[in-house]
Each structure stands twice: as structure tokens, then as C-alpha cells.
Amino acid sequence: MIKILVPLLLALALTSVAQASPESCYDAFTEGHTQDSRTFSVSLTDLDGMRDYGRDYQAEAIYVIRELAKELGCARKDLNFGKGSHGRAKHRCKLILPGRANTAVCYIETNLGYFFMTKDYLDKANVTYNRWD
């Protein structure tokens, strides 16, 4: 039994490692290269480990995008938040109306494209992915 189980588990592990790559993650975000941009609605209450980020909108946006990528089948290493299309990535979050946290908009660059994230009044984050040209 063990002689059969060990090779089977090894083959399964190698298959899952081979499937996870930046290219397969890019395919997931672009629906197989058919979409230049896509919008996702993410339930914040359904995210495991979601904490209160307070006014650290950038950290919250990166966390939500990482969780979305994981849900799409991306490995953690597939999405690099430190590298954009022109070298080092740039991120910025801003309140459209000062003093109103629900008006925060974040721009987040990655190696696979850039994202905008906003939140609604309830428990949803709206994430828009855009591929690099």
C-alpha cells in the first residue's frame, strides 16, 4: 500500500507545482488572454485571516488582492507586489473625499498588471485588474 501511495503523492505534488506559475496566474486574471481587464467583487467577511487594517488602505488592498489571486489558483510567488512593468512597483491609496474612509481608492502594481480597489458600505471589496500593455 505504501509503495503505491508514495509515488502517487509525489506525482500529485509535482503536478500541482507545475500548474502554479506566473503564466497560469496571468491566464486566470485575463480569462485565458481574452480580457484586458476584469472586475471582481470580494466578500471581506469570507476571507480567512482578514483583520482590521484601520487606515492602512494599501496593506488591506494588497491582502485582498493576494487572497483573490489565491482563490483564482495562483501561488503566492506568482504575484510580485515589488515589481511592476517598469521596475520597482508603485502603490498609492487616496481618499477621494477627505475624512470618509469608504471613498478610499488604491492603485497597486504587480508583475502581472495593476489593480484598483475600492470598498462598498457593507462587506465587499471591488477589485479591478488591468493587464500591462
Side-chain angles (χ1 to χ4, degrees):
M1 177 74 169
I2 291 178
K3 289 181 181 181
I4 295 171
L5 190 58
V6 171
L8 182 63
L9 290 175
L10 183 60
L12 183 62
L14 290 174
T15 302
S16 65
V17 168
Q19 290 175 347
S21 72
E23 187 60 31
S24 65
C25 188
Y26 182 76
D27 283 347
F29 276 109
T30 62
E31 281 191 316
H33 301 275
T34 64
Q35 303 291 315
D36 293 331
S37 66
R38 286 178 68 194
T39 301
F40 302 88
S41 183
V42 179
S43 173
L44 299 175
T45 56
D46 291 344
L47 296 181
D48 291 333
M50 182 69 178
R51 65 178 180 83
D52 182 9
Y53 284 90
R55 294 187 310 197
D56 191 353
Y57 306 117
Q58 181 176 313
E60 181 179 48
I62 289 172
Y63 177 78
V64 170
I65 294 166
R66 273 195 199 283
E67 291 299 305
L68 171 62
K70 186 168 46 171
E71 187 177 304
L72 291 174
C74 301
R76 184 173 175 89
K77 65 180 173 54
D78 294 342
L79 201 58
N80 185 333
F81 288 88
K83 184 176 181 183
S85 66
H86 302 292
R88 188 162 168 77
K90 294 180 172 58
H91 312 300
R92 173 163 291 197
C93 297
K94 207 154 178 131
L95 295 179
I96 302 297
L97 296 173
R100 294 202 180 167
N102 63 303
T103 68
V105 177
C106 292
Y107 169 81
I108 307 292
E109 290 184 352
T110 72
N111 58 317
L112 299 180
Y114 60 97
F115 297 83
F116 290 101
M117 190 185 102
T118 60
K119 291 183 357 183
D120 66 14
Y121 279 108
L122 301 174
D123 66 345
K124 299 273 193 250
N126 300 301
V127 179
T128 301
Y129 164 79
N130 299 279
R131 71 173 182 86
W132 293 116
D133 285 337

